[in-house]
Amino acid sequence: DIQMTQSPSTLSASVGDRVTITCRASHSISWWLAWYQHKPGKAPTLLIYKASTLESGVPSRFSGSGSGTEFTLTISSLQPDDFATYYCLQYTSYSQYTFGQGTKVQIK
Amino acid sequence: QVQLVQSGAEVKRPGASVKVSCEASGYTFANYAIHWMRQAPGQRPEWMGWINAGDGNVKHSLNFQGRLALTRDTSASTAYMELSRLMSEDTAVYYCARSTLSTLTYWHLDLWGRGTLVTVSS
């Protein structure tokens, strides 16, 4: 099974900051990685898929990069609406999906 | 409005079964798969399986073999997840999510429900 290690687990930042979250895979997953934003009580929302493709309607301050085993989600200028928990998801087959442990972005 | 609406919270005794529904609207239900995940308190989300909403074909995570039943009712645009022989460790928020059925790519999850809290307690 492919394991996903996400870091940091918690991140304190201010509005306007550049924020970077990392996910590492235990084996190469090519570019089959997605990023999600989740707020309490709400449905998770897709930000990025295929490592770097921005989902329609997602603000351009979100970007994804990486391939193989190391991936990053970057928020170029943190906005008040961005305080949430972020998860990565690897989807390298039709029967194996693994999430990272999550990164909570909180107000500094 | 494209959305997935899940059924309400459940409280169950150990050994019982729970059935959670996920009603789709705003898109053609049969053209997509519905996946199920769960997230126990303080844990990362865990993928459970998917159902092809068109032909009913299913794929389960090995972690749930024998306890998990995924079904759908195309006339109601609704998918169902039934988990049997519940244990306290099954206490979690259960989510449904949609993916494409394309054979040209692997399937990310592009639309999620808000989740259904299932509490297993004696």
Side-chain angles (χ1 to χ4, degrees), chain B residues 12-38:
Chain B
K12 296 292 182 181
R13 301 289 191 203
S17 298
V18 68
K19 192 170 186 177
V20 178
S21 67
C22 173
E23 182 179 1
S25 60
Y27 72 93
T28 303
F29 180 68
N31 288 353
Y32 291 83
I34 294 291
H35 298 243
W36 291 88
M37 279 67 56
R38 72 179 185 180

Side-chain angles (χ1 to χ4, degrees), chain B residues 58-97:
Chain B
V58 298
K59 179 71 76 173
H60 298 153
S61 165
L62 294 176
N63 293 341
F64 298 95
Q65 293 284 17
R67 288 209 299 144
L68 179 64
L70 301 181
T71 58
R72 94 284 188 225
D73 178 348
T74 54
S75 67
S77 298
T78 300
Y80 302 92
M81 185 283 300
E82 185 168 18
L83 191 61
S84 60
R85 303 194 299 278
L86 290 169
M87 302 169 282
S88 58
E89 305 91 273
D90 294 317
T91 293
V93 178
Y94 289 75
Y95 294 93
C96 61

